[in-house]
């Protein structure tokens, strides 16, 4: 029975014609099934040029212009608009494999494009062992061409070498020839994910299925290399019934074996903004706290402070106004575990905990019943303390999250050009804010979930929602 199920799964699984040693692979089982994703990109592209379909379609082929939303652009190039396409991105270039309806038309269109690229060599196909190949130098450097056998074609373009042939063009030609010479193997991982397109990142152990509509973009995937602790299975959380608002709200059920890892990340952040705090004692408190947590956690990032100083570690720590709540196993034992904080430099004793005055602000540690609350903003921490529910509720997944895209857009706008000049790692955040900020400001919500699976892997899902009406 098991072998029958496995055989059925493999029979239904997409089969990417992907090259080895790829950094990223994009596989689309049917080019004509992208209408929903294209509809979302069309709307999103009105506020973010990066999201426009034309930008992404330009990456489908090394030198042909293809637009799946206009099937005639495919048929003119001899490509089957109902067939698959697999794009393999390597450090040395790109290979795109397609199914053909008219091999002659494909060869003619490919020859015209290769000649227009400025090649001084004649575009002359050669055939050996049933595989027809073309490889010519490009004026911009590198090699380009294709391998064709029957109804299958794999086109390539190498990216290195400049005006000197570095041999990578021949490597890609050999790989393209191999790909058209044998049927691709079915990938059962893709059959387990919903989607009309799939993105594979082998080095990260990640596979993502993509689908969409005019108002939603949906991603669901699996990953083996996420830097996350293990999580418990779905179950009751003391924060399950809460509906807190914020730029980011996330609830999680961390597995007992992952609690120390999660607390360790918080400890490292506090130690960084409180260099005067004795490291041995900080670590001792962190260990004692971790031993008294159930693993149920709630994280709330309310917003980003106006004009934060992002050029220092403490400035980046206090930039997001945030707090987290964690369920404790024993209130009295947790109170004893926190007692050493009273002797830390800059510590103030509060009615229900402590405040640590550190570089850039204050860290608040409060204990309310069976909940430990830690925050870097007094108002956010207090709001979380007063909003803690009396009863819990079941969570369908180990982790869930919601993002308010409008607050996120405002937060990204707090990163200035001068911040980037002073702190290069902020460049990516600045670029995201510049490119996607207007789209986020006109989006409704971003939400998702994550579960642990066998072998330390994770399964995740995310949905980006635009307003129902443009």
């Amino acid at each position: 029975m098991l072998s029958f199920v496995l055989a059925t799964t493999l029979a239904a699984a997409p089969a990417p014609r992907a090259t080895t040693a790829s950094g990223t692979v994009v596989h689309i089982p049917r080019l004509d099934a992208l209408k929903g994703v294209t509809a979302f990109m069309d709307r999103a592209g009105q506020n973010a040029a990066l999201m426009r379909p034309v930008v992404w379609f330009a990456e489908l082929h090394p030198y042909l212009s293809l637009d799946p939303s206009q099937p005639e652009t495919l048929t003119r190039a001899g490509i089957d608009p109902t067939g698959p396409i697999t794009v393999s991105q390597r450090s040395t270039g790109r290979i795109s494999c397609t199914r053909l309806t008219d091999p002659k038309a494909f060869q003619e269109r490919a020859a015209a494009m290769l000649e227009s690229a400025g090649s001084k060599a004649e575009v002359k196909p050669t055939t050996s062992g049933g595989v027809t190949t073309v490889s010519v130098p490009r004026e911009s450097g590198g090699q380009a061409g294709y391998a064709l056998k029957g109804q299958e074609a794999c086109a390539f373009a190498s990216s290195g070498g400049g005006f000197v042939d570095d041999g990578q063009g021949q490597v890609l030609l050999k790989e393209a020839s191999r790909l058209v010479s044998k049927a691709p193997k079915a990938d059962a991982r893709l059959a387990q994910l919903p989607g009309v397109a799939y993105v594979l990142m082998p080095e990260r152990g990640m596979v993502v299925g993509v689908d969409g509509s005019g108002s939603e973009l949906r991603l669901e995937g699996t990953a083996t290399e996420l830097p996350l602790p293990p999580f418990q299975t779905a179950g009751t959380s003391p924060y399950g019934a809460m509906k807190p608002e914020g730029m980011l709200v996330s609830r999680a059920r961390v597995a007992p074996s992952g609690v120390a890892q999660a607390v360790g990340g918080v400890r490292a952040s506090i130690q960084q903004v409180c260099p005067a705090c004795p490291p041995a004692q900080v670590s001792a408190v962190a260990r004692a706290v971790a031993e008294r947590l159930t693993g149920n956690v709630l994280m709330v990032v309310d917003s980003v402070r106006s004009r934060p100083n992002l050029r220092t570690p403490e400035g980046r720590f206090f930039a997001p106004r945030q707090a987290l709540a964690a369920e404790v196993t024993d209130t009295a034992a947790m109170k004893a575990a926190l007692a050493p904080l009273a002797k830390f430099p800059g510590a103030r004793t509060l009615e229900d905990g402590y405040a640590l005055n550190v570089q850039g602000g204050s860290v608040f540690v409060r204990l309310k019943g069976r909940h430990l609350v830690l925050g870097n903003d007094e108002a956010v921490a207090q709001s979380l303390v007063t909003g803690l529910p009396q009863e819990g509720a079941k969570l369908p997944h180990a982790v869930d999250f919601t993002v308010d895209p409008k607050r996120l857009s405002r937060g990204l706008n707090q990163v200035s050009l001068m911040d980037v000049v002073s702190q290069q790692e902020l460049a990516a955040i600045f670029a995201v804010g510049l490119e996607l900020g207007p789209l986020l400001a006109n989006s409704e919500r971003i939400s998702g979930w994550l579960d642990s699976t066998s072998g330390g892997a994770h399964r995740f899902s995310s949905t980006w929602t635009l307003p129902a009406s443009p």
Side-chain angles (χ1 to χ4, degrees), residues 57-145:
F57 291 163
E59 301 298 321
L60 291 179
H61 202 277
Y63 45 81
L64 295 182
S65 297
L66 307 180
D67 185 347
S69 66
Q70 300 181 38
E72 62 273 13
T73 67
L74 303 173
T75 55
R76 283 199 300 265
I79 295 173
D80 184 357
T82 68
I85 186 170
T86 305
V87 182
S88 302
Q89 185 67 47
R90 303 174 64 165
S91 60
T92 56
R94 185 170 21 144
I95 297 180
S96 179
C97 295
T98 54
R99 182 170 300 154
L100 306 179
T101 55
D102 189 340
K104 183 178 180 180
F106 172 81
Q107 289 183 280
E108 291 175 350
R109 180 58 61 91
M113 293 304 298
L114 291 171
E115 289 173 355
S116 68
S119 172
K120 296 180 180 179
E122 181 182 1
V123 180
K124 184 178 180 180
T126 60
T127 301
S128 176
V131 178
T132 299
T133 60
V134 164
S135 181
V136 296
R138 295 186 300 169
E139 186 174 306
S140 58
Q143 301 272 322

Side-chain angles (χ1 to χ4, degrees), residues 80 114 180 213 444:
D80 184 357
L114 291 171
V180 299
S213 66
E444 193 165 289

